[in-house]
Amino acid sequence: MELKLELIVLPVSDVDRAKAFYEKAGFRLDLDVNANEDWRAVHLTPPGSECSIIFGTGLTTATPGSTQGLYLIVSDIEEARAELTGRGIDVSEVFHDANGVLYHGHDAGDVTHELPGQERLAGPHPDRATYCSYATFRDPDGNGWVLQEITERFPGR
């Protein structure tokens, strides 16, 4: 049996503002449907991804900005960061964990929340080890994204 993650619902407070942000970030607009004033769905897909996001009116009761830890996998972290910042997206500096631990904290404004066992250091991993270099950004509501550099997949992926 295959189970493919296809769609993630994001809670946003302003649909048009979120749509403009994700289009600016390079996401492809797949659908923008208004059934009535109480229901609207905007569906976008990150470049190269098989999984999409959807947000709108009447889609979720989750608090806007409450979704954290959405990973976008890139083959070159510095190139991806440069492209996003070139598009006007505020992306953190590239970083890695001193202990080689998978990054599982999140950014909230100027404060980075790290979990036990982590020590965030500036720059990509010194050996550019796969799965070990990161950068983060947030949408206008605070939904949190992590760019992760993967150059070689773990076996079985």
Side-chain angles (χ1 to χ4, degrees):
M1 171 174 68
E2 286 188 1
L3 299 172
K4 294 183 179 184
L5 182 61
E6 183 83 16
L7 191 62
I8 296 172
V9 179
L10 289 183
V12 302
S13 61
D14 183 320
V15 177
D16 289 320
R17 180 181 70 175
K19 178 183 174 187
F21 173 84
Y22 286 106
E23 287 183 312
K24 184 166 94 171
F27 287 39
R28 180 189 70 231
L29 177 64
D30 298 318
L31 178 74
D32 185 347
V33 177
N34 248 5
N36 57 53
E37 67 183 43
D38 297 323
W39 192 90
R40 179 179 176 193
V42 176
H43 181 275
L44 297 113
T45 304
S49 180
E50 292 186 29
C51 185
S52 301
I53 60 171
I54 191 169
F55 51 82
T57 306
L59 296 180
T60 181
T61 59
T63 303
S66 61
T67 301
Q68 300 298 315
L70 297 166
Y71 277 68
L72 293 170
I73 304 309
V74 299
S75 59
D76 185 317
I77 192 78
E78 292 171 321
E79 182 180 303
R81 182 185 180 281
E83 173 146 348
L84 285 170
T85 58
R87 291 173 169 269
I89 306 301
D90 184 18
V91 182
S92 76
E93 294 297 326
V94 174
F95 63 92
H96 67 282
D97 181 73
N99 302 309
V101 176
L102 176 67
Y103 178 70
H104 49 274
H106 69 278
D107 291 333
D110 294 329
V111 179
T112 299
H113 300 278
E114 296 171 352
L115 298 178
Q118 290 188 300
E119 183 183 352
R120 184 170 161 165
L121 298 177
H125 186 274
D127 299 327
R128 291 304 281 265
T130 193
Y131 292 91
C132 294
S133 298
Y134 308 92
T136 60
F137 68 94
R138 291 171 291 139
D139 73 10
D141 284 294
N143 292 304
W145 293 87
V146 178
L147 299 175
Q148 181 183 31
E149 182 176 80
I150 297 179
T151 55
E152 184 178 328
R153 291 275 182 188
F154 288 143
R157 286 278 314 203

